[in-house]
Amino acid sequence: MIDQAMLDAAAASIVEQDKDKAEQVAREAVEKGLDPLAMISDGFTVGITRVGDLFDRGELFLPELIICSEIMKGVTEILNASIPAEDKKAGAKVLIATVEGDVHDIGKGIVVSLFNAHGFEVLDLGRDVPTMKIIEKAEEFGAQVIGTSALLTSTMEGQKKLEEALRKEGLRDKYKTIVGGAPVTERWAKRIGADAYAEDANDGVKKAFALLQ
Ligand code: B1M
């Protein structure tokens, strides 16, 4: 159980754009052996969500948003490194990417952490990844699951393009596909022919387990 004060400090460090404090809190959590995933989801993510709300209300602007995002990425890296990989019992290979034209990767980072923590072998292609690169890398890596993230209504189209390209290349049955991201819905997943929609990182892992049964 993580002390609420620690979670509050994590959230506040993001809202206050305080990189030193954020990294200090993350390192302290690692030293104390606190659950890194809980630190991310119940601490730092609360902060970036608050930042998102402030941005939506016009109380915070793009340059500040970028600073908060960079801090968020830094702490996620510190905490990710401390996640004990289970002994690969899931045994499955998952490729994860943010689709082309989209640079939002904070949520994707959390998804990657959770898949790693559940023993999946993860290939994280990063953000703004072209459709054909996703397919090429999935082939090389021998992925069983392809998970994509889209945060913009305009870039959700990348998830549709992936389904179309997989069909065109005769590879659709080779992979299970999972789509996620704030504007993405179950309905969208059905419409484009994805195998599953995941509401959050936890749901992504659950859906992957179910698809691989
Ligand atoms: Co952007 N941005 N942004 N932004 N940004 C949003 C998404 C927006 C809603 C803000 C707004 O206007 N209200 C809006 C999108 C509107 C729309 O299309 N519907 C928006 C916009 C417009 C833009 C720009 C166009 C702004 C501009 O330049 N004028 C630009 C686009 C750049 C581009 O991509 N080409 C832009 C840029 C940026 C920053 C670079 C400043 C930064 C991103 C930095 C980064 O990621 N490295 C940024 C941020 C931080 C946000 C907000 C504030 C926060 C997003 C976030 O990280 N949330 C966001 C507003 C908001 O959310 N209130 C906003 C926290 C994260 C943990 O949640 O990513 O949803 P999320 O991930 C969740 C779930 O969705 C799910 O699990 C995660 C964890 O639970 N999930 C998956 C996600 N992917 C999954 C995949 C799965 C499973 C689950 O399986 C594979």
Side-chain angles (χ1 to χ4, degrees), residues 17-38:
Q17 302 163 46
D18 190 338
K19 184 172 185 274
D20 292 343
K21 180 175 164 186
E23 292 186 354
Q24 188 197 324
V25 172
R27 291 210 176 86
E28 194 183 326
V30 173
E31 276 158 27
K32 287 183 172 165
L34 302 179
D35 179 357
L37 291 169

Side-chain angles (χ1 to χ4, degrees), residues 2 4 6-8 10-11 14 29 34-50 72 75-76 79-80 83 106-107 109-111 113-114 200-202:
I2 304 177
Q4 188 58 44
M6 189 83 175
L7 296 173
D8 291 345
I14 300 292
L34 302 179
D35 179 357
L37 291 169
M39 278 303 294
I40 294 173
S41 59
D42 303 336
F44 291 106
T45 301
V46 173
I48 195 76
T49 307
R50 230 174 266 158
M72 183 75 192
V75 293
T76 309
L79 290 160
N80 271 354
I83 295 174
I106 295 171
I110 298 171
V111 174
S113 308
L114 224 68
D200 55 28
N202 225 345

Side-chain angles (χ1 to χ4, degrees), residues 46-92:
V46 173
I48 195 76
T49 307
R50 230 174 266 158
V51 165
D53 293 343
L54 291 169
F55 179 70
D56 289 347
R57 294 207 300 265
E59 290 174 38
L60 198 138
F61 301 97
L62 202 55
E64 293 148 314
L65 191 56
I66 293 171
I67 293 169
C68 296
S69 307
E70 289 306 316
I71 299 173
M72 183 75 192
K73 276 187 77 178
V75 293
T76 309
E77 272 161 30
I78 295 172
L79 290 160
N80 271 354
S82 75
I83 295 174
E86 282 180 18
D87 44 331
K88 302 286 165 211
K89 71 169 185 277

Side-chain angles (χ1 to χ4, degrees), residues 52 56 69 101-107 127 147 149 151-153 181-182 200-201:
D56 289 347
S69 307
D102 198 325
V103 303
H104 296 88
D105 63 356
I106 295 171
R127 55 191 185 175
S149 181
L151 262 287
L152 299 170
T153 36
D200 55 28

Side-chain angles (χ1 to χ4, degrees), residues 113-178:
S113 308
L114 224 68
F115 270 100
N116 271 323
H118 282 83
F120 286 84
E121 204 177 320
V122 184
L123 176 63
D124 178 3
L125 287 190
R127 55 191 185 175
D128 188 14
V129 188
T131 305
M132 289 317 289
K133 185 172 175 192
I134 296 178
I135 296 180
E136 190 188 304
K137 293 289 173 190
E139 286 289 283
E140 259 174 49
F141 178 55
Q144 284 139 288
V145 179
I146 301 177
T148 52
S149 181
L151 262 287
L152 299 170
T153 36
S154 56
T155 58
M156 284 164 68
E157 197 61 24
Q159 296 176 325
K160 184 169 168 231
K161 271 196 198 156
L162 175 65
E163 296 297 328
E164 289 166 354
L166 284 172
R167 283 196 287 270
K168 192 168 163 226
E169 301 290 321
L171 294 169
R172 185 58 190 87
D173 294 339
K174 199 169 169 185
Y175 302 104
K176 299 295 181 192
T177 57
I178 303 180

